[in-house]
Amino acid sequence: MLALSSRLKQRAKPASPPSSLPVTRPEWQAALDALPSTPEHIPSFFFGHGSPMLSWPESKLDDLGPMRPLADHLGPKGMLAAFLRDFGPALLAKYAPKGILVFSAHWETDGERLVTDYGDENPLLMDYFGFDAEMYELAFSSRGDGALSRRVAELFQAAGMPARLTTRDEPRGQDGRGFMGPGLDHGVFVPFRLMFGERFRGIPIVQASIDGSLSPEDNWAVGRAVAQLRREGILVLAGGLTVHNLRDRRSFIPQTADPIVLAFNDAVSAAISTSDPVARRKAMVELARHPGFRMAHPREDHFVPLYVGAGAGEEGDVRVVSGVYGAQTVAFGI
């Protein structure tokens, strides 16, 4: 085992990521400002959706003990939370979307795409466990839109993918961790609370499932199927993380992550920044074979939303608008 680990680390030489990624607030604000204002052709985005810890009460941060370093990076006072608070208003100002279609690492289905049709109030699915009571009282008030839900399902069907609507009266189907029930999962409502506020009813939100095969190619196709929505005033967002290993929480923090995980994170940034679209797709698909992939992702669920975002915006340029470690945010189809 030691010999294998040594060989893997030798092979996992850092890729060549962009020389400067936006990792400070002035840098990501400049990157967001530089995005073209194109409401008639909205980019799709992969964004770092963080974890429930983004909503952890600030008054209780000192109670986390050995978990405090993780909260300092991914908690309410960390860099990702600061970025998300800037990201949401920038999206609204740049694109004035008529609706939002969101995909999350926390909802996958096999054989068919499910699309929420929740009516005037989107319920919340508290798909986590072991937190204090406050974490089960989080609020995010938003609405759906039946016409948008039907349009999304029609696009999937036109692309040869079975699809149907799911209402608040039925479980939407379990995610990779086994949670059942209707509602927007925490990969949506936790970051959206920071991005848009606890009450966000002016623009409808519809969620669709990612492909349970967790295949890069299949999830790329999921994104491609809904790409037309970007020309219909709909903002397409796909949330996940570029590093997500709950078995090794050190991996979430750049100062403690294994070198092979750091190398993988650099490889992600390098792949998505490849200028040629054909070469970029090849480099992105090959990320799943990187020697550090399994240490960054024991399961692929948090990584494949990257391919959904890329598929929805495969035509055009790509830009990293936040380089926060393990939680990059990328605009596709600029």
Side-chain angles (χ1 to χ4, degrees):
M1 275 304 276
L2 289 175
L4 175 59
S5 176
S6 176
R7 289 198 302 274
L8 286 176
K9 290 182 180 180
Q10 289 173 7
R11 289 170 54 201
K13 294 179 180 178
S16 298
S19 56
S20 61
L21 291 173
V23 294
T24 66
R25 192 173 187 214
E27 290 170 346
W28 70 59
Q29 286 181 328
L32 290 169
D33 288 344
L35 290 173
S37 181
T38 52
E40 74 288 350
H41 190 177
I42 305 175
S44 60
F45 291 86
F46 169 79
F47 71 104
H49 72 26
S51 77
M53 197 167 287
L54 285 169
S55 295
W56 190 264
E58 292 189 27
S59 62
K60 292 189 173 183
L61 287 174
D62 289 337
D63 298 340
L64 289 172
M67 292 284 285
R68 180 61 191 264
L70 180 58
D72 288 340
H73 184 61
L74 292 177
K77 299 174 73 173
M79 297 294 283
L80 178 58
F83 169 74
L84 291 171
R85 292 187 183 101
D86 289 336
F87 184 44
L91 294 176
L92 301 184
K94 288 277 183 182
Y95 307 116
K98 300 173 184 177
I100 297 173
L101 171 63
V102 60
F103 298 85
S104 162
H106 290 278
W107 188 19
E108 61 194 65
T109 54
D110 295 315
E112 66 178 352
R113 304 279 62 73
L114 293 186
V115 183
T116 62
D117 186 15
Y118 288 154
D120 194 51
E121 187 70 42
N122 286 320
L124 306 183
L125 178 61
M126 304 291 182
D127 55 336
Y128 43 77
F129 56 87
F131 290 101
D132 289 352
E134 297 99 316
M135 295 295 290
Y136 300 91
E137 298 168 358
L138 297 178
F140 178 68
S141 178
S142 67
R143 64 182 177 89
D145 180 84
L148 176 56
S149 298
R150 290 189 294 273
R151 176 62 175 148
V152 173
E154 288 169 0
L155 287 171
F156 283 134
Q157 292 163 354
M161 300 178 187
R164 68 175 180 88
L165 306 184
T166 180
T167 72
R168 58 185 301 139
D169 296 322
E170 66 170 323
R172 64 179 201 170
Q174 71 182 39
D175 66 6
R177 298 171 66 194
F179 286 89
M180 301 287 289
L184 306 179
D185 60 68
H186 80 266
V188 178
F189 73 80
V190 166
F192 276 21
R193 292 174 78 247
L194 296 179
M195 293 165 62
F196 304 124
E198 291 187 13
R199 184 173 177 82
F200 183 71
R201 302 192 58 81
I203 299 170
I205 297 171
V206 168
Q207 184 176 359
S209 60
I210 62 174
D211 192 281
S213 70
L214 303 183
S215 151
E217 293 86 352
D218 289 348
N219 279 285
W220 195 293
V222 168
R224 187 191 303 117
V226 298
Q228 174 59 30
L229 291 174
R230 299 169 42 231
R231 296 170 179 82
E232 299 174 8
I234 305 303
L235 173 63
V236 179
L237 301 174
L241 288 166
T242 51
V243 174
H244 184 266
N245 184 352
L246 293 175
R247 302 173 191 174
D248 180 10
R249 288 186 170 86
R250 299 172 307 160
S251 65
F252 287 98
I253 307 167
Q255 293 82 2
T256 58
D258 191 285
I260 200 172
V261 176
L262 297 175
F264 173 75
N265 188 71
D266 285 346
V268 173
S269 297
I272 58 184
S273 300
T274 303
S275 57
D276 178 74
V278 175
R280 179 169 60 244
R281 175 168 178 161
K282 182 175 184 292
M284 289 179 63
V285 170
E286 287 181 349
L287 288 169
R289 292 186 283 275
H290 187 280
F293 179 73
R294 279 301 172 204
M295 286 190 68
H297 294 278
R299 194 171 186 270
E300 299 93 333
D301 51 342
H302 276 71
F303 194 64
V304 295
L306 175 66
Y307 299 111
V308 177
E314 65 180 359
E315 297 179 3
D317 293 332
V318 176
R319 193 171 303 166
V320 178
V321 293
S322 169
V324 172
Y325 166 80
Q328 293 97 317
T329 295
V330 189
F332 294 97
I334 298 172

